Amino acid sequence: MTLPDHMEVRKGHLCIREHDMVALAARHGTPLYVTDEDRIVWNYRQYEQALRPYYPDTRILYAAKANGNLAVLRALACLGAGADVFSAGELHLALAAGMKPDSLLFNGSSKSPGDLALAVEKGVIVSVDSLDELHQLDAAAGQAGKRAAIAFRVNPALDVPTHPKIATGLATSKFGIAHEMIPAAYDEALGCEYIDPIGIHCHIGSQILSVEPFARACEVMVRIAGVITDMGVRLKFIDLGGGLGIPYHRPDDHAPTPTEYAEAVMPVFRKGITAAGISPSLWIEPGRSLVADSTILLTRVNSVKTAHRTFVNIDAGFNLLVRPVMYDSYHEVLTANRADQRGTTLCTVAGPICETGDILASDRFLPDPVAGDILALLDCGAYGFAMSSQYNSRPRCPEILLKGNMAALMRRGETISDLTCTMQSPPWQKQD
Ligand SMILES: *Cc1c(COP(=O)(O)O)cnc(C)c1O
């Protein structure tokens, strides 16, 4: 396995730049999420440097659901990022991080009346997913005496090679309006009293390891942009969504770089907007590719059991990292305290949750595991902590943020009283 650039092994210990992960685990306990802000900045700059030479008017909207910690959002806000938000909570977090309302796109196929009212109140652009939603938003804007800027979410009907649970642009997906119905949708929006259709939006899926689907989606989008421009829509932006994958199997996977993405997509984009006679902003919405490799999950080996295989029982389960269980996904596992030793024992890395399926890694060679070892699961920055739960009444672990030679908590660990603090006794159970 090859380590990502910002990691190295020093005196047998896994390090993120100068930070020793074994020392960090000793100081803060395990399990522990550790995120490197410098890596997020680097990832963001890769996108900027790749896209801007082709088209300066490019905006990066971070997909907040990948990692919604306020410190992560703030780091990206400082770089000028906007955000793709998918709930009222994400909208509030993005604003609290200092992002401007007009750099946020409120997505989702099932928004509540409260969501729509909030978007109107804050002046956030809405990605509209149905005509029903369009008319509800028009009414909400009218009621508030405001106008609502929108994009329609296009379903480009593309079959994309990724896990079926994260392919979002299939003709049968729950997201978006079928591409052939889109001109009629804009026609309807032009007829609404309080709606300004200013953008067009798609997102074809996640963990996509080839750039070709993005180019195909872009082709569909610029073609529709031309059609709706002729109908009188004044497009201010075309949003191509996120979805670039990362190389979870190191070094076997090849994940396209932002440069490869730009080389494939930008010529299609430029040709399309030239043909349409427009010059809208280009928006993209990366989530995973900005944050996934910035973060590791440190976990301690509680016990080792030799059964039909060697079970390495750790203190983090799918309560803290659900991806292996939900998406059959792969995360590299290293023994952080003996990172210079070769794996010799074939292991199953199992969590502490009361479910047979609570396996975070199968069939991995680790250096002869013993209780007390600190394992590091790599590439946990996207859809890691963000999807955590308190299942089995396990308080969530802390999150540490690194920057330069500094390290600080960006979320404290939950306690047992955090588990009970929202619970209430029904009156018939009141005790004195
Ligand atoms: C999840 C999501 C993204 C980000 O996807 P990644 O694969 O993490 O880059 C972008 N846009 C929308 C609408 C999404 O739902």
Side-chain angles (χ1 to χ4, degrees):
M1 194 211 107
T2 42
L3 286 173
D5 300 339
H6 59 304
M7 293 187 196
E8 57 184 283
V9 176
R10 282 195 204 165
K11 297 191 182 135
H13 287 187
L14 178 68
C15 295
I16 295 184
R17 295 181 291 100
E18 61 260 61
H19 299 273
D20 183 324
M21 293 303 107
V22 180
L24 213 59
R27 191 170 325 131
H28 296 278
T30 56
L32 186 67
Y33 265 96
V34 184
T35 296
D36 185 21
E37 182 173 334
D38 291 348
R39 184 64 179 188
I40 296 174
V41 172
W42 191 85
N43 288 335
Y44 183 87
R45 297 274 185 234
Q46 298 308 300
Y47 270 106
E48 270 190 344
Q49 285 163 18
L51 294 166
R52 296 256 156 94
Y54 284 97
Y55 197 67
D57 188 4
T58 300
R59 179 177 272 180
I60 300 168
L61 278 71
Y62 167 57
K65 72 178 187 288
N67 185 332
N69 192 296
L70 205 43
V72 170
L73 287 161
R74 281 210 182 98
L76 286 158
C78 286
L79 300 171
D84 146 36
V85 298
F86 226 87
S87 68
E90 287 180 6
L91 196 161
H92 281 295
L93 285 166
L95 292 175
M99 291 172 176
K100 301 269 177 310
D102 67 356
S103 71
L104 305 182
L105 188 67
F106 195 166
N107 280 301
S109 53
S110 184
K111 301 185 195 78
S112 68
D115 293 338
L116 298 176
L118 180 69
V120 169
E121 181 204 326
K122 301 289 184 190
V124 170
I125 306 160
V126 179
S127 173
V128 173
D129 204 278
S130 66
L131 294 183
D132 187 358
E133 186 182 307
L134 174 73
H135 292 295
Q136 289 186 35
L137 182 64
D138 188 32
Q143 205 146 47
K146 297 191 173 183
R147 303 194 61 79
I150 67 143
F152 280 109
R153 167 84 176 252
V154 178
N155 181 333
L158 289 182
D159 200 353
V160 169
T162 187
H163 191 282
K165 282 187 186 158
I166 49 177
T168 55
L170 303 177
T172 52
S173 140
K174 75 168 181 174
F175 295 110
I177 297 175
H179 61 100
E180 67 275 11
M181 317 273 284
I182 286 289
Y186 279 92
D187 200 38
E188 193 108 354
L190 288 170
C192 288
E193 214 176 326
Y194 303 99
I195 296 287
D196 295 324
I198 64 165
I200 186 165
H201 175 221
C202 76
H203 170 67
I204 58 174
S206 197
Q207 186 54 15
I208 298 167
L209 289 176
S210 132
V211 290
E212 182 263 346
F214 296 107
R216 270 191 292 150
C218 181
E219 213 169 295
V220 173
M221 294 294 281
V222 288
R223 184 170 43 72
I224 300 173
V227 172
I228 62 175
T229 298
D230 291 342
M231 291 168 44
V233 175
R234 294 278 150 263
L235 275 186
K236 291 191 183 151
F237 68 88
I238 296 179
D239 184 337
L240 297 179
L244 209 58
I246 71 133
Y248 286 106
H249 294 79
R250 297 174 176 279
D252 301 340
D253 284 346
H254 175 75
T257 61
T259 303
E260 289 165 321
Y261 174 90
E263 280 167 358
V265 172
M266 296 311 291
V268 178
F269 177 77
R270 294 199 33 178
K271 190 171 159 218
I273 61 166
T274 306
I278 53 175
S279 48
S281 290
L282 169 65
W283 291 10
I284 59 162
E285 303 172 334
R288 188 190 310 274
S289 51
L290 288 177
V291 293
D293 70 3
S294 71
T295 302
I296 64 174
L297 174 57
L298 293 174
T299 165
R300 181 179 177 278
V301 175
N302 282 329
S303 57
V304 178
K305 176 168 67 179
T306 310
H308 71 292
R309 343 203 113 142
T310 300
F311 283 103
V312 178
N313 299 311
I314 58 174
D315 61 6
F318 74 73
N319 54 320
L320 292 177
L321 183 69
V322 79
R323 298 191 65 258
V325 175
M326 183 149 153
Y327 305 122
D328 307 311
S329 58
Y330 181 98
H331 288 265
E332 294 288 358
V333 180
L334 291 171
T335 304
N337 52 307
R338 290 185 283 131
D340 52 348
Q341 292 180 17
R342 263 171 38 88
T344 47
T345 309
L346 190 61
C347 301
T348 297
V349 179
I353 298 297
C354 183
E355 300 271 348
T356 308
D358 186 29
I359 302 294
L360 295 192
S362 311
D363 299 331
R364 305 300 177 86
F365 281 102
L366 295 176
D368 198 19
V370 291
D373 275 345
I374 303 294
L375 302 190
L377 282 83
L378 303 195
D379 302 312
C380 292
Y383 312 109
F385 193 98
M387 287 186 162
S388 63
S389 75
Q390 293 177 333
Y391 183 46
N392 260 183
S393 294
R394 290 185 170 269
R396 290 181 184 83
C397 70
E399 291 183 286
I400 300 284
L401 189 65
L402 309 176
K403 185 177 177 66
N405 61 6
M406 299 174 289
L409 278 175
M410 64 172 175
R411 187 186 320 250
R412 69 163 171 84
E414 291 172 349
T415 61
I416 296 296
S417 57
D418 289 317
L419 296 180
T420 54
C421 68
T422 52
M423 297 181 189
Q424 305 205 340
S425 300
W428 62 90
Q429 290 182 354
K430 285 259 192 302
Q431 301 157 2
D432 18 66

